[in-house]
Amino acid sequence: VPLIGVCTTLEDFQKYDIALCIPHIFYKNDALYAKVRSMFSVLVLDEVHRANSPRWSDILDGFVVTDYLTASATFARKDLRHFVMEHMCGPPVSFVEAESVSPICHLHYDEKWKSPQDFTNGKRALNFYKWSVTYGPKVVELAKQVLVDLKKGHKILLPLLYIDDVIFFADLFKRLNLTVGVIVGKANKKRFSGYETDIKKVVSNAKNGEYDVTLAIRSKIQAGVTCWRWSAHYVVASTSNEYNMYQESKRVASPAPKGEFKPHPIMRYFVDECTLPKKWLGDLIRKMFDVYSYQWVDNHREIALRLAKTVSRYVEDDVVEDLDYDDVEVENPFARKTRVVTEAKPKGLRTPAQIAERI
């Protein structure tokens, strides 16, 4: 008699001593849940941080078991419901070692660049994230850094929010003669003809070192997808959800198998000052860009400190007092300006072909 099996029906659960299932089968089947919840004595649960949601936590709390065995690589959530996990399952009793990640920040700053206060090009409003991801001058710097990191032995993971951005960077890196893997949802697989789109196969290929760069839709790698080959995590645009970033950074922190080489994991964060909303800069300095522990490229640290001074009222007082400012007066780049009509992106750096030619 088999001891373990995948279960979707009551008969399945009655057949096996070790039942494998996903919690979603109980969401709309109260009758099944009522009969199964007291059939087992031990509950083993992976990705337990997801149990913090109201529906999930109701189901978890209803199981009549003597022991929980849970696992997660995410100990904080933006909705601040991470306390539910420990309240229901207890505090962590064991930790798995992972490589530490060294954050390196790149600040794209152009004093001559001026944008309208409402961030429009005179015709329509622009989505800041979409603009920032493919902003030509920054992408040139990013692509050049990719080539440098590859020579150092890194394999790069670049998570993106929109499928059009995955297409953009896949085209760019292909023009630079790099091997590219893509992790996308089922609905978009048809848009990547010539690419492997089965996620398990893509991850397997990445582990074998077949890709220089792996491009991924962010939601697809934030739950259990990891590859020890990835050693450089690129963040191409600012995010207000630092918890997602912490989770993503874990994808490059897996230690190499014994006998294999892996460069020290790094995270490169590319940010644009010229369009950064006021409320974000202070938040980034405070939470994600700790200027004393993060490494800045070239003179970017000094620029960040200077810019932080101009928006000090947006930064918590205790952090502002710790910053070592000079007394030089600096024009506030966020001061209200007369609206001007300007190109949203510089001419000649709008397409992957143009950017590749520049590099």
Side-chain angles (χ1 to χ4, degrees), residues 341-359:
V341 178
T342 182
E343 291 291 338
K345 292 184 180 179
K347 294 181 179 180
L349 282 177
R350 297 180 179 178
T351 68
Q354 291 171 333
I355 293 174
E357 184 178 355
R358 175 69 61 88
I359 296 170

Side-chain angles (χ1 to χ4, degrees), residues 297-316:
V297 173
D298 301 328
N299 65 336
H300 294 191
R301 178 181 184 276
E302 288 69 28
I303 295 174
L305 289 173
R306 183 177 64 168
L307 294 174
K309 180 179 180 180
T310 68
V311 291
S312 59
R313 61 185 180 279
Y314 299 103
V315 187
E316 291 181 356

Side-chain angles (χ1 to χ4, degrees), residues 30-327:
D30 293 336
L32 177 64
Y33 175 67
K35 294 179 179 180
V36 170
R37 72 187 190 91
S38 59
M39 290 176 58
F40 299 88
S41 58
V42 178
L43 178 65
V44 180
L45 184 64
D46 193 15
E47 302 289 346
V48 68
H49 60 275
R50 296 193 169 195
N52 299 317
S53 66
R55 186 71 177 104
W56 224 127
S57 58
D58 286 344
I59 290 176
L60 179 61
D61 193 43
F63 277 102
V64 182
V65 297
T66 57
D67 295 288
Y68 289 106
L69 179 59
T70 63
S72 174
T74 304
F75 295 99
R77 289 169 55 110
K78 187 177 182 180
D79 59 11
L80 304 181
R81 293 182 59 86
H82 39 270
F83 74 93
V84 177
M85 180 167 57
E86 291 196 11
H87 178 73
M88 300 180 70
C89 304
V93 296
S94 179
F95 294 88
V96 176
E97 292 295 328
E99 296 283 349
S100 61
V101 178
S102 296
I104 305 171
C105 302
H106 300 248
L107 178 64
H108 180 264
Y109 178 63
D110 185 352
E111 293 184 350
K112 297 180 181 179
W113 196 94
K114 293 183 179 180
S115 68
Q117 190 70 17
D118 60 354
F119 197 56
T120 68
N121 63 359
K123 296 180 180 180
R124 60 184 175 84
L126 296 175
N127 178 293
F128 169 75
Y129 181 90
K130 288 184 176 181
W131 181 94
S132 179
V133 167
T134 56
Y135 180 53
K138 183 180 68 174
V139 175
V140 169
E141 178 187 348
L142 182 150
K144 288 181 178 180
Q145 189 62 58
V146 165
L147 299 178
V148 171
D149 285 340
L150 289 174
K151 289 182 179 180
K152 295 180 179 179
H154 286 286
K155 297 295 184 181
I156 296 163
L157 172 66
L158 202 168
L160 296 158
L161 188 59
Y162 298 108
I163 197 68
D164 287 342
D165 298 330
V166 177
I167 294 173
F168 177 92
F169 279 97
D171 186 0
L172 171 61
F173 292 138
K174 186 176 180 179
R175 292 174 184 275
L176 297 177
N177 297 317
L178 304 182
T179 54
V180 180
V182 295
I183 297 178
V184 297
K186 294 180 179 179
N188 291 298
K189 288 185 177 182
K190 293 182 179 179
R191 302 183 68 179
F192 291 90
S193 177
Y195 290 90
E196 176 61 67
T197 54
D198 181 274
I199 293 180
K200 291 184 178 180
K201 292 181 179 179
V202 173
V203 174
S204 177
N205 292 343
K207 290 179 179 179
N208 292 330
E210 296 183 20
Y211 304 132
D212 296 318
V213 181
T214 302
L215 306 173
I217 291 295
R218 296 182 65 185
S219 61
K220 296 300 177 183
I221 63 164
Q222 290 173 351
V225 176
T226 187
C227 170
W228 72 266
R229 289 275 187 187
W230 294 333
S231 58
H233 173 215
Y234 274 46
V235 182
V236 71
S238 305
T239 174
S240 62
N241 191 336
E242 63 269 19
Y243 299 111
N244 281 355
M245 178 173 296
Y246 299 152
Q247 190 180 50
E248 286 178 10
S249 68
K250 300 297 190 299
R251 305 307 163 200
V252 301
S254 298
K258 187 175 181 180
E260 296 283 358
F261 168 75
K262 176 178 180 174
H264 179 76
I266 59 175
M267 178 179 73
R268 293 195 183 277
Y269 197 110
F270 295 83
V271 61
D272 306 277
E273 179 279 325
C274 58
T275 57
L276 199 61
K278 296 178 182 179
K279 65 180 181 179
W280 281 15
L281 183 58
D283 185 62
L284 291 170
I285 293 290
R286 181 176 72 251
K287 293 182 179 179
M288 303 166 74
F289 280 4
D290 185 332
V291 295
Y292 294 108
S293 61
Y294 279 53
Q295 177 182 347
W296 291 81
V297 173
D298 301 328
N299 65 336
H300 294 191
R301 178 181 184 276
E302 288 69 28
I303 295 174
L305 289 173
R306 183 177 64 168
L307 294 174
K309 180 179 180 180
T310 68
V311 291
S312 59
R313 61 185 180 279
Y314 299 103
V315 187
E316 291 181 356
D317 292 339
D318 57 341
V319 178
V320 174
E321 292 173 358
D322 289 338
L323 298 179
D324 184 18
Y325 300 125
D326 55 36
D327 295 326

